[in-house]
Amino acid sequence: MAYHPYHLVNPSPWPCVGACGALFTTSGAVAYFHYSMPWVLILGLLVIVGTMVGWWRDVIREGSVDGCYTQVVRRGLKLGMILFIVSEVCLFFSFFWAFFHSSLAPAIEIGAVWPPKGIEPLNPFSVPLLNTAVLLSSGATVTWAHHAIISGQREEAIRGLSLTVLLGIIFTGLQAMEYYEAPFAISDSVYGATFFVTTGAHGAHVIIGSTFLGVCLVRLAYNQFSRGRHLGFEAAAWYWHFVDVVWLFLYIFMYWWGS
Amino acid sequence: MASLARFAVGRSLLSSPYWRRSISLAYCRKSSSDSPPGHREGNIVTDSEHSYGIEKKEIDALMDGVEDPFNLNINRGPRGTKERPTLVPSLLGERIVGCVCEKDATHIKWMTLPKGDAKRCHCGHWFKLIEANPNKIKI
């Protein structure tokens, strides 16, 4: 083995398996849309889920039992997560751009008003305000868990992180209820389109973030984090705060100002 | 030209059994559900208690006061002359040395420095390989 701190990865089946999954998913979606044949699509999605589980399992092993994460490797992983979150910021920036493009100078086709004529927006001081409180509280509980990890209190950390995941699930449930009861749909003018695409993308990110934190909770229960080295948890916490901030912008501009 | 010579010391050329990592890195080597060593109920372990492989060796070296366990830093020192060359420690018969010839040089001149006589970079800096004490090396 070379005398250096860098992590040179071992041969892995996952890039190839994941690529096959992507091919099955895309061609399966075409088959489903044109011939109502869902099986290839289902196979593709299962292969992709399997790739995610297997690949990240290997990454966790590299960090927790293989000892690949020297200081320079950890710096690279942190930088990678930061760049990933920056790319996510760009994604949401584009959704907000579409929203402001349509709302700041409403076209004549939607009555030259915002919200468009005939659209009944959701009451921002009802469930959306509750959701804001839920998400902000989850930001506090994840910090609670982080401080507990740093100071070595395992039970406190598990309590804080469990509460965070629970609040994430509650948020998703409330959003699902809001969607179900919303008086407009994604096809109802540019209002419905921008609203459901942006809040939907955010909801997907909440589900991803809750899963990420859930994996961290399991890892915490298996004693895989130490007081100074819990990079997976830190990445999950950064991601969760990012999702939190996006929700604040969503709430202020789409739910409140936009209604 | 700067009176202070700067030189970068590259990695040792070859690995020896001495350096070999004590564990393999096969991707499905071990169940990840094992608790780490040093774990006590109700507590989260410290960094040195919970680390394996080269990560543990790095932590141990840093705790022992080795500031640059992998020799990645650029060493700055007086300009090596033929009579008093810059000494480069190595456990092996040769080592790759990179000379930053001038203060503002934009690239590093790499050379192989074998055991024996001092060797001169084209810019005039002299280097000489000396035997390193294995007991003083932590990784």
Side-chain angles (χ1 to χ4, degrees):
Chain A
M1 199 56 67
Y3 175 51
H4 62 72
Y6 299 103
H7 179 200
L8 306 182
V9 290
N10 291 109
S12 162
W14 303 120
C16 193
V17 174
C20 292
L23 178 66
F24 291 155
T25 305
T26 46
S27 47
V30 172
Y32 180 50
F33 293 157
H34 285 273
Y35 310 111
S36 300
M37 186 182 73
W39 306 113
V40 183
L41 178 61
I42 290 169
L43 175 70
L45 293 173
L46 285 176
V47 170
I48 285 182
V49 170
T51 303
M52 287 159 73
V53 171
W55 198 334
W56 276 320
R57 179 203 64 182
D58 288 353
V59 170
I60 287 169
R61 285 176 180 177
E62 285 163 0
S64 56
V65 291
D66 285 345
C68 299
Y69 288 179
T70 55
Q71 284 187 334
V72 69
V73 173
R74 291 155 56 75
R75 200 181 311 145
L77 288 165
K78 282 185 182 177
L79 200 56
M81 191 66 201
I82 289 168
L83 287 173
F84 170 63
I85 291 177
V86 167
S87 77
E88 295 270 65
V89 168
C90 294
L91 175 76
F92 279 97
F93 192 86
S94 69
F95 290 149
F96 275 99
W97 190 292
F99 171 75
F100 285 120
H101 174 90
S102 306
S103 61
L104 285 171
I108 192 71
E109 289 87 345
I110 55 171
V113 286
W114 193 270
K117 201 160 170 54
I119 291 280
E120 261 182 65
L122 297 166
N123 178 9
F125 300 109
S126 171
V127 176
L129 186 61
L130 177 62
N131 264 339
T132 307
V134 167
L135 223 44
L136 285 180
S137 312
S138 74
T141 53
V142 79
T143 306
W144 168 18
H146 197 180
H147 282 271
I149 290 176
I150 291 169
S151 56
Q153 300 169 56
R154 185 165 170 271
E155 301 303 317
E156 284 288 300
I158 289 176
R159 214 168 292 155
L161 198 51
S162 306
L163 210 52
T164 311
V165 175
L166 184 69
L167 286 166
I169 292 168
I170 290 171
F171 177 91
T172 306
L174 287 171
Q175 275 297 82
M177 263 173 51
E178 278 281 90
Y179 274 22
Y180 189 69
E181 293 180 349
F184 53 88
I186 194 168
S187 53
D188 282 335
S189 86
V190 72
Y191 184 92
T194 52
F195 181 88
F196 280 110
V197 167
T198 316
T199 56
H202 176 264
H205 282 74
V206 171
I207 293 169
I208 294 165
S210 307
T211 314
F212 199 170
L213 288 167
V215 169
C216 286
L217 181 59
V218 173
R219 294 189 65 196
L220 193 59
Y222 278 122
N223 304 303
Q224 289 184 0
F225 295 130
S226 71
R227 295 177 200 186
R229 302 199 169 209
H230 39 265
L231 197 55
F233 175 84
E234 277 182 275
W238 290 347
Y239 192 81
W240 194 248
H241 286 307
F242 154 73
V243 169
D244 209 348
V245 170
V246 169
W247 171 259
L248 290 181
F249 279 94
L250 264 178
Y251 179 73
I252 291 168
F253 294 111
M254 288 205 182
Y255 284 91
W256 193 359
W257 177 81
S259 68
Chain B
M1 180 119 83
S3 59
L4 280 179
R6 299 197 295 168
F7 62 94
V9 181
R11 295 169 214 135
S12 300
L13 263 185
L14 300 161
S15 62
S16 69
Y18 183 79
W19 298 123
R20 241 166 234 159
R21 240 183 260 187
S22 56
I23 53 167
S24 72
L25 289 177
Y27 70 90
C28 51
R29 189 180 63 81
K30 191 182 172 189
S31 162
S32 58
S33 62
D34 295 352
S35 292
H39 165 70
R40 295 177 303 282
E41 205 53 48
N43 252 305
I44 292 176
V45 291
T46 60
D47 294 357
S48 60
E49 285 171 331
H50 178 197
S51 53
Y52 293 88
I54 200 156
E55 182 186 353
K56 178 154 185 64
K57 292 185 175 185
E58 184 187 47
I59 291 174
D60 291 345
L62 290 168
M63 286 174 76
D64 285 345
V66 182
E67 286 175 6
D68 183 24
F70 293 101
N71 273 316
L72 293 176
N73 290 351
I74 294 175
N75 296 309
R76 291 179 173 81
R79 176 196 176 100
T81 61
K82 189 173 184 182
E83 290 73 33
R84 300 186 66 185
T86 299
L87 301 176
V88 179
S90 174
L91 287 166
L92 306 170
E94 59 183 4
R95 188 163 186 181
I96 297 172
V97 174
C99 181
V100 185
C101 302
E102 292 171 49
K103 194 177 161 193
D104 299 327
T106 52
H107 66 287
I108 303 169
K109 285 261 198 290
W110 295 99
M111 69 186 112
T112 309
L113 182 63
K115 200 182 262 182
D117 293 337
K119 189 173 175 181
R120 177 181 174 275
C121 176
H122 83 290
C123 68
H125 293 185
W126 288 79
F127 299 93
K128 184 172 168 54
L129 201 74
I130 55 162
E131 273 188 31
N133 181 356
N135 295 326
K136 289 197 171 172
I137 295 176
K138 295 296 181 187
I139 283 196

